[in-house]
Amino acid sequence: MVNIVSSPRGILSPQQALKLANVYLENASTCIPDDRDIALVLCHDTEMSLSQAKKSIRRPEDQYMNMEIATAYMDLGNLLESQGHLNEAKASYKKAGKLEVNAQGTGRFRFASHLGNITSSVKESSFSAGSPSNQHKQQRNITTVPGHIFAGDAHPPVIEYHLPRSDERLANTQQLAYCLYLLKTERASNDMLDRATGNWLSTIEKDEDEQDRLKTMATEVIKAFKRDELKDAKTVAEVVSLAPALDKDSFQALLSLFYSGIDHSGLLKVHLLEGLVHLIQSADQGHLNGDDLDKILELLTRLKDTHQQSSDHMHQLTLAESHVLDAMADAKITDADRETLQESSGGDKKQAMHRSCRVKCPISYPLKVSQLELASPSLLDRVQNRPDVESIIRLLRKQRTKYRGNVVYIPPQGKAGLQAADDARFPLMEKVKEFLESDKKVFLLMGDSGAGKSTFNRELEFELWQSYKNRTGRIPLHINLPAIDKPEHDMIAKQLRMAEFTESQIREMKHHRKFILICDGYDESQQTHNLYMSNKLNQDGEWQAQMVISCRTEYLGKDYRDRFQPGNRNQQSDSSLFQKASITLFSLDQVHDYIRQYVIVHQPLWEVDDYKQALDRIPSLKDLVRNPFLMTLSLEVLPRMVDLGQRLSEARVTRVGLYDHFVEQWLERGKKRLGEKDLNVRARAAFESLSDEGFTQHGMEFMKNLAVAIYKEQDGQPIVRYSRAKGEQSWKSEFFSRDEEKRLLREACPLSRNGNQHRFIHRSLLEYALARAIFDPQEVKRISVPEAVMGRRGSTSSTLSFEIKNVSEKELEQEPDPNSPLVWRSFIGDHSLLKLLEERVQQEPVFKSQLLAYIDQSKKDKKWRQAAANAITILVRAGEQFIGTGLKDIRIPGADLSYGVFDSVQLQNADLRKVNLRGVWLRQTDLNGAQMTGVQFGELPYLSEDSSTSSCLYSPDGNSIAVGLDDGNIHVYSTLNWERTLTLKGHSDVVIRVVYSPTGDKIASASADKTIRLWDISTGSQLHVLKDHASIVYGLAYSPHGDMIAFGAVDMTVGLWDVITGDCSKVLSGHTGYVYGVVYSPIENQIASCSEDTMLRLWDVETGECIRVLSGHKDTVWDVTYSPHGDQIASASSDKTVRLWNVETGSCLHILHGHTNTVYCVVYSPKGDEVVSGSMDMAVRFWDVETGSCRHTLTGHRDAVFCVSYSPKGDKVVTGSPDKTLRLWDASASSSRLVSIGHSAGVPSIQCSPKGDLIVSGSGDNTIRLWNIETETCRRILSGHTGTVFGVAFSPKGDWIASGCEDKSVRLWKVESGECQRILTGHTHWVLDVAFSPEGDMIASGSSDNTVRLWDMSTGVCNKTFSGHTDGIVSVAYGRDGKQITTGSKDHTVRIWNVDTGECCKILEGHTNWVRQVVYSPQGDQLVSASGDHTCRLWNVQMGECRLPLTGHTDEVRGVAYSANGKLLASVSADKTVRLWDASSGECRAVVENFPAEVLCVSWSTSSDLNYLVTGCQDGSVLKWQVIEEDQCRVQLQWSASNGALTMTGASIQGARGMTALNKQLLKQRGAIDEPEHLLRETSKKRTIMASVISKLKKTSKGTTEDSSPVANPPANQPEQLVQQVEHLVDSKIREVVKGVMSLLDQPHQ
C-alpha cells in the first residue's frame, strides 16, 4: 500500500493528493496555538498538494473533485486569514474561485466553513469570535469582500457553479443547495446577480415543473439520509449543506432526524452532534420553533450526565452546548448576552470548559470531515440514480391530453344509487373530486349502457392531468379493463408496460408514487374479482392508489358491493372506504344544451328548433335521448329518419331503429370517403367489386360476422388483439388480414384501432351487430301482417298460437337456423342485447315466429333447448303473455321467465331446470311431469300458526327462529328443515317480544301478562320471571354481553334487568307516552328507545342519562333498531314512514316514504346497507340505506306485518303477521330485469275510457296510471296526490280524468299531456269517489266528511253541497240524464239526489254493511249496488225498490260494473273472485277464481266493439279479461300488469320432478294442486254444472227468501259440500233432485 505522505506527489491520484492536502491542513490547524511557523509550513505543503490534485484531474469521472479541492482551498484561506497572512489567504480564495465544477457553469458559490455554508447576493452567515449567529446575519453584496482582507478592487472570493438546465442531472448536493437558495432570494436582490445567473433564475421561476423537481430532490435527499444506516461524517456534511436552502417544514424534518438520531443512540454520534450544531447555525430566520433550542439544550444536558466519564465526549457536548447557548442569546430567548448565559450554566469546571471552547474555536464549530473517496455514492447520487420517471410521465400526460377536437360534452349528473330519486341529483364531477380528497379508496360509477360512463372517465382523466403536479402529485392512470389481460393481477404494471414504461421505472413508481386509477369497463372485461383486493392496493409494499371504477348497472347483482368494496366479506368496517354513484340520464335541460352544442359543432341539416320540434311531437323520443349515446345517434340520424313535413305524432322512433339508421349512415359515409380516396389499383378494384354487390350490405355482413366471432371465440370480450405473426392462422385473419376487401370494410365500419387492438367504437354497437346476426330484417321477406294478429300486447289472439291468421303457413314458415348465436350461447344475462331483441320482437312478427319455432323445435330435439331458452326469455321480456298456450314438452333450461304471464298454459313434461320463475303468473297451469330441478321462485313457503304472530327473530347463528304468539306460547323452528323443535309455555297473554341472548342459548320474552321470562333454549325450561313490573312490557333487548336486558313499558319508562340476579337495576325516565321499543347499541354504551310520544331517546347505559332526543316523526314510533356498526338508527312510525338517523349528530339522514299505512317494524341487514320494514299495508319493503330509495316490495301477507327479522347471513328475511303466518323471503334472489310495470300498492279505483282504448287506475302508491289497451303498456304516470287515490273517472269525451284522494282534494288531469290542470279543495276528509256528469260540465265528489260536492268543470268552483248521509260517502254515480246523482255510504244506505235542488229523493235500504259502489245501467232504469254484506242488489230507479239480490260472494263485495249492453254485471270481492251475473235474472253466469289478492275494483268497457273488463287488486295488479258470451259465459285473461307476485292458484304440480320439498310446499300454499289431473278436470266440471243447477233451483224454489244465507262457492275438490249448503235453502223434493244430479256426476263416462 502506498504511503501518500512519503510518496512523490506526481504519482498520486487526484483523490490521494487531496487526501494528503487535508492531512497537512488538519495538522496545521492543531499547531496554531503552539507553533505558528510549523503551521505556516504545513499550509504551504497543503497548497502544493492541492495544486497536484488539480493537475491530476484528467478523466471526466474525476471532475466532481473540483468542488472538493475548492472546499480545501477555502479552508486553507480561512486558516491563513486567521493567522494574519492576508495575501496568501487572498491567493487561496482566488484559486477556489477559479475552479469550476462543470465546464459550462457561470453560477457563483461562497463558502463560509468546511461544510460549504451558502452565501447569496443578499445574505451570508457572519460569525462572531465566540460562535456563529443565526439571528443577526449581515447583509453583504456577493461582489464585496471585507476590507481587512483585500485592499483595492480585488475580485470576490467565489466558486462558480454550473446552473442546470431543466431536467439536467445535478453534480452534487452543494449545486442543488445553491439552486434552491437562488429560488429563495428576494426578487429585489436579483439585480445584484450576474447576467447568466439572473437569466437562469428568470427561466426557472416560469418553469413550475423544474421548481418542483429541485424541491422534490431536496426532500428525497433528506429521505435518503433518513434511510442511511451509517450516517457518517460525509453524509452528515452533505445533508447539512442543504439546510440554508430548505423551507421550514423540510428544515424541521431534518432537525428532527438529527435530534432523534442523537437521542436514541446508545453511543454518542459525534458527526450527528456536529451536524445538529451546524443546522442551528445555518437556520434561516423563523425556521426554528420557540422551544427547539430548549429541547436541544435539555438533550445535551442529559447526554453530559450520561457521558461524563469521557473527557472527549464532554468536550464535544460542551462545545455543542456553547453554540446552542449562543443561538439562544442571539434569538433573545433570555435577556443575558452569550457570555453571561454561558457563564451562568453549571459550576466552575463547566464555565472553564465554556471559556476554553471559545478560545479554541474562534470561527466555527470544527466539524472535521476528511474528503475521502467514498465507496458508496452520495445521498444525491442515490436519489438521482433512481430511474427517471417524470419525463415519461410528462410524455404520457401529453398523449392523454392532446387536442381532442370539437367534443360535445355535457357535465353529467349523478345520484347516490340505482333507486335514488331523480330529484336527489348532484354534479358528478364534484362528487368524484370530493371522493379523491377523502380517505375513501373505491368509487363505483354505475350507469346504463350508453349513459356516458366512459366519456366521463375520459373527462375526469383530462381534468386530473391538468391539475397534476410533477413529482408530488398523484398520477391519473386510465385503465381500459378489457384491454388488460387478467386485470385482477398487477393491472397497474400491465397498463404502464402498455404505455412503454421500463421495469425499473415501474418499480420506482410502485414504491415512491401514488395513483388515481380510472378503471373503465368492468362489465366489458367480464370481471367478477374485487380488483382493489386482488391487486393488493394500499397494502405495505404495494401500489398506493384510489380507484374510480365504472360498470354497467345491469351487470351488477344484489351483492355487487363485495366485488368493489375494500376489505373482504367479514370486514364490515371497510365499508367506510367505499362510495358509489349512479350516472343519471340527461334531464330535458341537458338535452337542449347538448342539441345547441351539437348544432354549433357539427352543423347538421336540422337547426335547433327542428330537433326540439321532433322531441316534442315524436312519442317516446324524449325518453330515448335522455341516454347520452342514443342522443348522439338520434341527432345524427333523425334528419334521415324523419320528414318534418309529416305528422310527427305518428312517427315511431325506437332504440333499435336508431341503431339501424346510424350504422347504415356510417357505412354509406365510409363508402363515400373511400370512393374519394386515392386508392391503389388492387384496392380500387376491390372497392368497385364491393360497391357493385352492395357496399352497405357487405359492411353489415362484416360487422355481423365479426360480432358473432367475438362472442363465439372470445365469449364477448370486445377487444380483439391481432398481429400477423400470431394471428394469420387464427379466426382473426378473416377480419384483420391485409386482404384489400377486408381492409376497406374495416375502414368503413364503426371500428377503432389502437396498436394491435381492434374494437367497435362502442360496446352497444357490438351488441347491435350481434342482434342483427340473430335477426336481420333486411334478410327477411316482408310480409304484410294485420296488426290485430301480431300477438303482442293488445292482440286479439293468443301469443303462442304457432300460426298467424290471414297469412298462409308457407309464407311464414321459417326453418330454425342451427348456426344462430341463440343455439350455441346463452344470452340470458346480456341485458342490453336482449333489449334490442325485445324491440325486434315488437316490430317484426316474423322474428317472433322464428323464436316460437325454436321453442316448438325444442319439443322434438334437445339440441334446440339453448335456443328455446333464449327465445322464450326474449319473448317474455318483450311483454308477450302466454295464455292458454300449449307448451307441453318444451325444453328451456336456464330461461328467465320472471314476471311472465302463463295463464292456463300446458307445461306437462317441460324441461324447466334452473328456470327463473320469480313473480311469474302460473294460474291454472298444468306442470304435470315437468322437470323443475333448481327452479328459482324467489321466496320460501310460509309457516302456519294457530294464533297471530306478534314477534319473530332469527337466532344469532341462524339455525333457529323464535316466534311469539297471541295465545301466550313461543314456538322455536329449525331453519334446516323448518320444523318446530320447541314450544315454550308460561305466559298467560300475548307474547309481544322475543329476543335471543348474544350466545343464542337463551330466549327472553315480554308479554301482555306484565311479565318478562327468561328461557333455556336447550331444555325449554324457565330460568327467571320478572313479575314486579306493574305494566305491560312492549320493548325488549339483550345487551351485547348478555348480562343485562332492557325493556320498555306502558308506564313510559325504560328499565334495565340484571340477568344474573333477576333484579331491575335501573329505571330511565323521560318519555311521555308508552315505550314500544328498546335496543342496545352494538358497542353497548347506548340504549335507544321509541315511544308513543313520537320521540326517540338515546341513553347512556352507565349513568342512565338521556344523551339525545330525536324528533321528527309525526305519530307513534313503534320500533327502533341500530345499524350493525352502531352509527345509525332506523325507526318505524304510524306516520307511514321509516326514518334513518345519524347517532353521533342526531340528524335525520333519510325519510323513507312508500308504505300506505302504519309501519310497525324495521330491521337492518347484517351488512348495514339495507333496511327492511313491515307495515299495516301488508307489504314488506326493502330500502337502500345510502339513498333512502325502495329497492323492492314483497307482498303475500293478508294482514298487517308486525315483525321482521334478517338472517345472520343476510340471505333470508322472516316476517310475522296477524294472518297467522310466518313468511320466509329469499333476500338474495334476483331477476335479470327490474319490473315495475304495475302499481306498488293496492288499486282501489279503475275505469275504462269511453272509446275503450285507455284504462285509468288509481292506487295506494299515490299515483294514477294511464294504460294503453292496444299495446297493454303504461302510457303515462300521473303524480301529484299525496295519499291513496280512491276514485278515478273519465270525462264523457275521454279527454279529461278526475281523481279523488285521501289528501282531501279532487284533481283534474288532461289526458293528452298528463298535466294536472286544476286542484279542487273544500272537502274536510278523504275524497272516496268522483263522477262526471253526462255532459262533462260538472264533477261530483263523495267524501268521508258525509257530503257530496258538485264542481263546475270550467271554473273549479263548488256549486252545491249535498248533505244527509250519516257516515262517509264511498261511491257517487250520475244518472243517464244528468238530473240525478246516486250515492252509496258507510251508513248502509243508497240515496238518490235531485241535482237541481240538492234534495234527497229516495233512500234505498236493505244492505247491512257499507255500500261500496253504486252504478247505473246503460239504459238508466236500473241501479246496482255492491256492499260489504257480501251481496249486490239490483234496484228499480223509478220505484226505489230492490228488484233482486245477488248472493254468492263469501266476503265483502268491493265493486260492480255493467257491460256495455247492460245484459251482464260483473262484481268483485275480497274473496278473490269475480262473478258475472245475468242482469235480468240474477243468475251467476261465470266465476273467475284464484286471484292472487283481494279484488278491489272493476270496470267494463263501454265500447260495444270491445267486450272486456278490467280489475284492480290489492297487490297492485291491473288485469284485463276478455268476456265471451256464449251458452256458457267464459272469461279469459288477456294480459296482466303487475309488479310480479308469484301466482299458482289452480296450477297442477302433479308429478312435477326435481322440486325440493320447500318449493312444493310454497307452490301449494300459493294455490297449486298436487292431485291427479283427471280428478281436477272432473271436479271442475262438477262444480260448473252444480253452479248452474243451484242457480236454477234458487229461481224456482219458493222456500228461499230474500234474507236467506248466501250460497258460498264450494272449494274445487269438495263438490259434495254443495248438498249440505243447498239443504238449508230448499225443501226435501229439491234435495232429492240435487242428490240425483250428484249421483250422475259421480259417473263421468255417462
Side-chain angles (χ1 to χ4, degrees), residues 1582-1591 1618 1634 1637-1638 1641:
K1582 289 180 182 180
R1583 197 161 54 104
T1584 302
I1585 295 175
M1586 284 302 300
S1588 178
V1589 170
I1590 295 300
S1591 176
L1618 223 49
V1634 173
V1637 173
M1638 288 296 297
L1641 292 177

Side-chain angles (χ1 to χ4, degrees), residues 182-232:
L182 285 177
L183 291 173
K184 288 181 61 177
T185 303
E186 295 180 9
R187 190 68 191 171
S189 302
N190 289 350
D191 296 337
M192 302 178 184
L193 302 175
D194 62 83
R195 180 180 298 177
T197 304
N199 291 340
W200 178 88
L201 187 58
S202 298
T203 301
I204 295 301
E205 285 177 341
K206 298 175 183 177
D207 189 347
E208 293 185 1
D209 289 345
E210 179 64 8
Q211 292 181 50
D212 288 341
R213 183 179 82 95
L214 295 173
K215 293 174 183 177
T216 301
M217 199 168 293
T219 303
E220 292 299 325
V221 167
I222 295 174
K223 291 180 179 179
F225 176 71
K226 181 179 181 181
R227 292 191 296 267
D228 185 69
E229 296 182 358
L230 295 178
K231 291 184 175 60
D232 57 18

Side-chain angles (χ1 to χ4, degrees), residues 687-741:
F687 176 75
E688 291 177 355
S689 174
L690 290 172
S691 299
D692 290 343
E693 297 173 5
F695 190 92
T696 302
Q697 181 180 349
H698 274 290
M700 192 66 248
E701 285 300 316
F702 182 88
M703 289 177 60
K704 288 159 53 178
N705 293 336
L706 177 58
V708 169
I710 288 174
Y711 272 86
K712 196 167 190 176
E713 304 294 340
Q714 298 190 164
D715 197 29
Q717 212 281 350
I719 294 180
V720 181
R721 295 176 178 84
Y722 175 81
S723 63
R724 291 182 62 194
K726 297 181 180 179
E728 283 199 347
Q729 302 303 318
S730 71
W731 64 271
K732 301 175 186 178
S733 63
E734 182 182 347
F735 306 98
F736 303 106
S737 67
R738 300 180 69 181
D739 177 82
E740 291 294 345
E741 286 194 359

Side-chain angles (χ1 to χ4, degrees), residues 800 802 814-818 822-823 849-873 875 882 886-895 897 906-913 915 1553:
L800 198 53
F802 292 99
Q814 296 285 330
E815 286 294 327
D817 180 7
L822 295 178
V823 176
S849 71
Q850 289 180 0
L851 296 178
L852 298 178
Y854 283 123
I855 298 171
D856 197 33
Q857 286 295 320
S858 74
K859 299 177 181 179
K860 309 167 189 175
D861 192 337
K862 66 179 181 181
K863 75 177 182 180
W864 299 99
R865 61 188 177 186
Q866 183 63 73
N870 285 320
I872 199 167
T873 298
L875 290 168
F882 297 78
L887 297 179
K888 182 179 179 182
D889 299 321
I890 65 168
R891 295 180 175 96
I892 53 170
L897 307 186
Q906 305 303 308
L907 280 169
Q908 301 97 315
N909 301 315
D911 183 355
L912 305 179
R913 289 173 297 168
V915 170
R1553 295 170 290 161

